[in-house]
Amino acid sequence: MPRLPDGYSIAIFDSIDSTNEEARRNATDAADRTVYWAKRQTAGRGRRGRSWMSEPGNLFVSLLLKPDLPLAQAAQLSFVSALAVSDVLIKAGAGDRVALKWPNDVLVDGAKICGILLEASSTGARVDAMIVGMGLNLASHPADTPYAATDFANAGLGDVDPDTALTWLLEAFELRYAAWRDLGFASVRTDWLIRAYRLGQTIQVMLGDETVVGRFAELDKTGALVVETSPGVTRHITAGDVYFPGAI
């Protein structure tokens, strides 16, 4: 049984369709900082409706949060969550092998080890509930992905069980979440950029039927990706899929 930070509660499932779906089903009645943890998912999802491999031994968890913020600001939780996961990996010994790929992937040695999916419930201008889903590869990873993937065991980070990983993750998340609430996005942005994957290098951003190519310049003060498409000309992108020539 994982240890929970003060103010958190947990619902545990041997098997469920999706922890994000369970959080969504309970978003109205459940308390802030309710954790939904499944040993196995039968219909795990990633961004843009993609399926997420949910083999036993990995960590599948969703946090139900009620931050009472505008949607654009609440979306910054993807960076808060990614930093928390990177803190866990560093605790496990990954060190500077950890990198963060915009907007919400966590990498070790350039290979994806964790995906993060944010979903919001809102009836007006402010978010009623934000669901932060995280899938962390501990014991296995998919082999048939269009990008490199890895897991704790494959990356030489030891045999970390889901209970331990969840304890570490919730501790790290609460510290990052509290700092974001108290200090705002500026410190999150600074820490994220320190760990940013391929900062300053050429990237490709897929925007539906458009591809933007340019230099990964920075994040702006809201968390948008800033791409320099030609000298002195930048695009601020709030949603898209990032690829790196010759890499992921």
Side-chain angles (χ1 to χ4, degrees):
M1 179 72 178
R3 295 190 307 272
L4 303 179
D6 292 344
Y8 285 69
S9 59
I10 191 167
I12 303 173
F13 305 87
D14 286 331
S15 180
I16 199 170
D17 54 351
S18 159
T19 56
N20 263 37
E21 284 302 313
E22 183 65 14
R24 181 186 292 278
R25 287 189 285 263
N26 290 277
T28 300
D29 298 328
D32 179 36
R33 295 187 234 190
T34 300
V35 180
Y36 296 89
W37 175 33
K39 308 297 178 65
R40 177 176 177 268
Q41 293 184 125
T42 59
R45 289 183 294 108
R47 292 179 64 239
R48 302 179 185 272
R50 301 178 181 117
S51 62
W52 181 265
M53 188 189 79
S54 300
E55 295 295 331
N58 291 336
L59 179 63
F60 318 110
V61 63
S62 296
L63 310 183
L64 176 63
L65 306 171
K66 299 186 175 180
D68 187 27
L69 294 170
L71 180 59
Q73 188 175 354
Q76 295 168 1
L77 279 165
S78 64
F79 301 98
V80 174
S81 304
L83 281 170
V85 173
S86 70
D87 291 340
V88 170
L89 291 163
I90 290 169
K91 183 183 181 78
D96 60 8
R97 299 163 60 198
V98 179
L100 303 177
K101 177 175 175 282
W102 189 90
N104 50 14
D105 287 343
V106 185
L107 315 177
V108 173
D109 297 328
K112 183 173 177 176
I113 198 168
C114 180
I116 297 168
L117 175 63
L118 263 63
E119 296 183 294
S121 173
S122 176
T123 54
R126 300 179 76 82
V127 170
D128 298 320
M130 180 66 78
I131 299 164
V132 182
M134 290 175 276
L136 182 57
N137 298 333
L138 300 175
S140 63
H141 65 273
D144 57 349
T145 58
Y147 47 79
T150 191
D151 57 68
F152 269 57
N154 186 66
L157 299 179
D159 183 14
V160 179
D161 61 79
D163 292 60
T164 300
L166 183 53
T167 295
W168 293 354
L169 179 57
L170 294 177
E171 289 173 348
F173 180 84
E174 178 55 24
L175 288 174
R176 293 288 184 177
Y177 187 44
W180 173 66
R181 294 196 316 271
D182 295 342
L183 303 174
F185 184 63
S187 62
V188 172
R189 175 180 174 273
T190 297
D191 288 350
W192 192 94
L193 283 169
I194 289 170
R195 300 177 187 175
Y197 188 63
R198 299 291 183 99
L199 181 64
Q201 299 186 28
T202 299
I203 64 174
Q204 299 173 334
V205 189
M206 306 298 291
L207 307 174
D209 58 358
E210 180 187 7
T211 300
V212 177
V213 179
R215 184 178 67 88
F216 175 13
E218 61 170 334
L219 295 182
D220 71 13
K221 64 181 182 180
T222 69
L225 178 69
V226 180
V227 181
E228 186 179 43
T229 55
S230 61
V233 178
T234 59
R235 290 272 301 265
H236 291 237
I237 297 170
T238 58
D241 288 321
V242 174
Y243 296 89
F244 303 88
I248 293 178

